[in-house]
Amino acid sequence: MRTEILKLKEMDRMPDESGNDDESTNLLVEKYNQLLTTIQKPINIEEGIALISLFPETAFYDLQWDLLQLVESLYGNIDDK
């Protein structure tokens, strides 16, 4: 599994977006963004399962779309088990 995905797993599920965000939330958003944008597509099944577990319950500063696009890249790799 790629280092970026392992780091994301350590960060755990993305928190839900809130109107009461502080500087620590902004830093967390930036960290998720940096890691997500460095992952090259396609990903494999194991990575996809790890990324799916990161989805927030509602929304996360539009980063859920970056996450979704990575998971969608699995389509061509379903037989990679």
Side-chain angles (χ1 to χ4, degrees), residues 1-38:
M1 189 174 299
R2 299 169 218 217
T3 304
E4 298 90 343
I5 295 176
L6 291 172
K7 288 179 182 177
L8 286 164
K9 278 182 63 173
E10 288 175 12
M11 293 170 65
D12 207 13
R13 177 184 252 188
M14 295 175 174
D16 290 318
E17 191 169 339
S18 168
N20 300 325
D21 300 330
D22 58 14
E23 185 62 27
S24 65
T25 303
N26 293 335
L27 293 173
L28 181 62
V29 170
E30 184 56 34
K31 177 107 175 150
Y32 273 106
N33 186 44
Q34 288 172 350
L35 290 168
L36 286 171
T37 58
T38 60

Side-chain angles (χ1 to χ4, degrees), residues 10-76:
E10 288 175 12
M11 293 170 65
D12 207 13
R13 177 184 252 188
M14 295 175 174
D16 290 318
E17 191 169 339
S18 168
N20 300 325
D21 300 330
D22 58 14
E23 185 62 27
S24 65
T25 303
N26 293 335
L27 293 173
L28 181 62
V29 170
E30 184 56 34
K31 177 107 175 150
Y32 273 106
N33 186 44
Q34 288 172 350
L35 290 168
L36 286 171
T37 58
T38 60
I39 299 169
Q40 297 292 313
K41 298 175 205 169
I43 61 172
N44 64 40
I45 296 291
E46 182 183 20
E47 293 170 331
I49 292 168
L51 291 175
I52 288 169
S53 72
L54 299 176
F55 275 99
E57 287 188 29
T58 58
F60 185 63
Y61 309 92
D62 290 331
L63 294 181
Q64 70 273 9
W65 300 116
D66 293 333
L67 188 56
L68 179 62
Q69 289 173 348
L70 286 167
V71 172
E72 286 177 336
S73 77
L74 273 171
Y75 181 72

